[in-house]
Amino acid sequence: MNLSRRNTLKALSAGALASGLSGFTLPFASAQSAPSDYKALVCIFLFGGNDGNNMIIPADAAGYAAYNAVRGPDSNINIAQADLLTFKPGNSSSTYGFHPAMSAVHPLFDQGKLAIIANAGPLLAPTTKAQYLAGLNVPYQLFSHSDQQAQWQSTISNQPARSGWGGRLADSVASMNGSNPFPVLTSIAGSTLYTTGNSQSPLSLPSSGGSFTLSGLTGTDAISKARAAALNALLLQGKDHLLVKAAAEQTEQAIALSAKVNPIITSTTSSVTNLFTTTGNSLAAQLLQVAKLIEARATIGLSRQIFFVSLGGFDTHNNQINTQQTLLGNVSSAMKSFYDATAALGVANNVTTFTLSDFGRTFKPSAGGGSDHAWGNHHMVMGGAVKGGAMYGTFPVQQLNGVDDVTGEGRWVPSVSVDQYAATLATWFGVPASGLAAVAPNIGAFANKNLGFV
């Protein structure tokens, strides 16, 4: 691995101390009024590669017949037509259906609060099946978990990336937060490429309601005072060495942040807690943490915030029908709870939530009742500012060896690029057209730089 000094320092960031910081307090900015132009983006990453072909299914007679011809009852991953939660996009003449486990978010589509991004994926440029077969415009390491996760999180598809588009977006909007030292980025799912910027570092918080604390340093007893003095002395050592100095400064920042963050995430009086069912749903637990931080936006005082949460388990090579039933049920429930929380807090129009995943999965079933790694995939975008009730991008022709299938197994060449997806969200977030290339470096390869879903 070729680890840059900057990435090494990010591994020592504020989030690395999340399991142990409490009590020890450094001076920090005082509470501010909530910014009037507040906006937040919430990225939900579905690790493993969610099978979008069973999340969004054609529900009209001809469309379902095409689905059933490949994923019929004998496939062991079939979703019955009668079980689909049907919807008709306002910009389409076709009818589709959500997976039956997604009853919680289904009404949001009809209410115009949820949009579908159809057949999106990493692209170097607009690409046809013929170009792919000729070896043209083929992204780096297609169908690999780690590489495709990196490309979805970075928008960079021709080589390994050192920063993510969430991090670069944070770089671009950091000035909107003035001199506030609170990080633009907060991850409730550990350190990720998505939250790695060129200048911005994320705050990483526990996902299950734990504290962001370091105990035993704030008491008035001699032992607590001695511990605090020892830590202060330790942080002063070796600051003539750049790496040690940077690590110490990150530690000091984390300790300072703990004084502000810990009371927020450990609060038992939040007005939105009762909107979430977190038992057995780790995504709901993470989104509850995000909702608490948004609830405390006046205390934090930022104009722009970016959050990262995740759910794993989507690598469904077998037993997909049962696994996806549980996972999509958790995603649906957690997203609906989070939308309700933003509405209750009066910021539904200011918070946009969206999904990403490694890749789609093959339309052709695999042995064992599952599916294999593929390419283009369907995603959801949710929020009051979303132009919902519509589908953006082109739904693939569901035919093996058809015009959209590049391998004969139902691997769809994307109709929408990650760059376009990211640039559309960045535009809503306040990045001007002239600044989009800093967030999505390859956006210039696409004529349409705004998909219009928000």
Side-chain angles (χ1 to χ4, degrees):
M1 296 178 64
N2 181 19
L3 295 178
S4 69
R5 172 181 167 273
R6 175 178 54 78
N7 287 336
T8 301
L9 298 184
K10 288 186 182 297
L12 299 171
S13 68
L17 304 174
S19 63
L21 295 179
S22 153
F24 188 86
T25 306
L26 296 179
F28 203 82
S30 58
Q32 304 173 37
S33 59
S36 59
D37 64 339
Y38 177 81
K39 285 186 178 181
L41 283 172
V42 182
C43 175
I44 300 175
F45 203 98
L46 308 178
F47 280 102
N50 176 46
D51 180 22
N53 291 315
N54 265 13
M55 185 177 79
I56 306 294
I57 299 171
D60 56 69
Y64 187 81
Y67 167 86
N68 203 50
V70 177
R71 290 192 166 190
D74 292 341
S75 71
N76 294 318
I77 59 173
N78 173 267
I79 304 295
Q81 188 174 14
D83 293 336
L84 296 177
L85 304 173
T86 59
F87 64 92
K88 186 174 182 179
N91 58 349
S92 172
S93 60
S94 301
T95 301
Y96 299 88
F98 284 109
H99 188 287
M102 301 180 68
S103 58
V105 296
H106 179 216
L108 292 178
F109 188 91
D110 293 334
Q111 295 165 16
K113 309 301 182 186
L114 185 78
I116 301 300
I117 311 301
N119 196 20
L123 288 171
L124 298 176
T127 303
T128 65
K129 175 181 176 178
Q131 288 173 320
Y132 172 88
L133 294 177
L136 302 174
N137 298 334
V138 179
Y140 176 79
Q141 296 287 76
L142 271 180
F143 318 135
S144 154
H145 280 294
S146 59
D147 295 291
Q148 296 304 290
Q149 288 169 10
Q151 290 177 43
W152 268 102
Q153 292 183 36
S154 70
T155 79
I156 296 171
S157 298
N158 61 347
Q159 62 184 345
R162 294 187 176 185
S163 62
W165 69 262
R168 296 193 299 272
L169 178 55
D171 294 339
S172 298
V173 302
S175 62
M176 297 183 186
N177 292 334
S179 60
N180 193 326
F182 200 99
V184 179
L185 294 149
T186 299
S187 174
I188 320 289
S191 178
T192 66
L193 179 62
Y194 178 82
T195 58
T196 300
N198 293 311
S199 61
Q200 295 294 305
S201 300
L203 170 66
S204 186
L205 298 177
S207 62
S208 57
S211 59
F212 183 62
T213 61
L214 185 72
S215 60
L217 294 172
T218 58
T220 58
D221 59 285
I223 293 178
S224 295
K225 290 181 178 180
R227 287 172 177 158
L231 180 56
N232 274 323
L234 180 63
L235 293 175
L236 292 173
Q237 297 300 310
K239 284 199 171 181
D240 55 335
H241 189 289
L242 287 177
L243 181 61
V244 175
K245 180 177 184 291
E249 289 173 351
Q250 292 282 14
T251 303
E252 290 165 350
Q253 179 195 33
I255 294 171
L257 285 170
S258 72
K260 178 163 283 193
V261 173
N262 198 54
I264 296 170
I265 64 172
T266 60
S267 170
T268 59
T269 60
S270 169
S271 65
V272 297
T273 301
N274 63 348
L275 296 175
F276 291 82
T277 301
T278 58
T279 303
N281 190 338
S282 65
L283 182 60
Q286 293 171 62
L287 288 174
L288 172 57
Q289 298 285 60
V290 174
K292 285 182 175 181
L293 290 165
I294 292 174
E295 183 180 28
R297 63 196 180 281
T299 299
I300 294 172
L302 299 182
S303 291
R304 295 293 184 271
Q305 285 188 281
I306 302 171
F307 299 94
F308 183 89
V309 298
S310 72
L311 184 65
F314 287 90
D315 193 17
T316 50
H317 289 280
N318 50 56
N319 195 33
Q320 177 174 301
I321 200 73
N322 294 318
T323 301
Q324 202 177 33
Q325 175 75 23
T326 299
L327 291 173
L328 290 181
N330 285 343
V331 170
S332 176
S333 174
M335 288 183 68
K336 176 59 163 60
S337 295
F338 184 68
Y339 178 79
D340 289 347
T342 62
L345 295 171
V347 292
N349 292 342
N350 307 84
V351 180
T352 298
T353 304
F354 59 97
T355 65
L356 306 180
S357 192
D358 309 24
F359 36 57
R361 305 193 73 84
T362 55
F363 189 42
K364 181 180 179 179
S366 63
S371 53
D372 290 326
H373 305 175
W375 193 359
N377 203 5
H378 311 317
H379 289 280
M380 297 179 287
V381 185
M382 178 184 75
V386 173
K387 297 175 184 177
M391 180 178 288
Y392 299 85
T394 303
F395 202 84
V397 175
Q398 299 211 301
Q399 178 185 349
L400 300 184
N401 291 306
V403 64
D404 293 317
D405 179 11
V406 296
T407 68
E409 296 173 296
R411 292 184 171 94
W412 315 130
V413 58
S415 65
V416 168
S417 74
V418 182
D419 305 82
Q420 293 169 294
Y421 195 4
T424 304
L425 291 166
T427 298
W428 174 78
F429 214 48
V431 176
S434 61
L436 291 178
V439 178
N442 197 42
I443 191 60
F446 301 91
N448 183 8
K449 297 171 176 55
N450 190 328
L451 298 175
F453 57 77
V454 66

